[in-house]
């Protein structure tokens, strides 16, 4: 069985792309939590900022 470290050595990936995706996911998670805290839907928020409802972070 190949360990994760062994796989990273063979295929290090594009660190810049990985960090960008992580930052986007972190931003989306923060926005989701704030939106839930305030009690607004992703559809409402999307309308307020002028994006399609699929452009607003949504989970559950």
């Amino acid at each position: 069985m190949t360990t994760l470290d062994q796989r990273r050595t063979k295929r290090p990936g594009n660190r810049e792309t990985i960090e960008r995706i992580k930052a986007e996911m972190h931003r989306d998670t923060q926005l989701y939590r704030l939106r839930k805290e305030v009690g607004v839907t992703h559809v409402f928020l999307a309308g307020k900022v002028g994006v399609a409802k699929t452009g607003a972070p949504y989970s559950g």
Side-chain angles (χ1 to χ4, degrees):
M1 175 130 198
T2 305
T3 68
L4 182 56
D5 287 334
Q6 289 169 331
R7 292 189 79 172
R8 284 185 182 146
T9 300
K10 288 180 183 177
R11 297 183 62 192
N14 182 333
R15 183 54 44 197
E16 192 175 292
T17 300
I18 292 168
E19 292 304 320
R20 180 184 49 80
I21 292 169
K22 282 171 55 177
E24 290 171 5
M25 291 172 64
H26 180 71
R27 180 207 60 212
D28 289 350
T29 301
Q30 286 181 311
L31 185 53
Y32 170 78
R33 287 182 183 151
L34 288 170
R35 183 177 60 74
K36 286 295 192 179
E37 227 176 80
V38 176
V40 297
T41 67
H42 72 288
V43 175
F44 175 82
L45 180 61
K48 287 294 185 186
V49 297
V51 298
K53 67 181 178 181
T54 56
Y58 173 73
S59 273

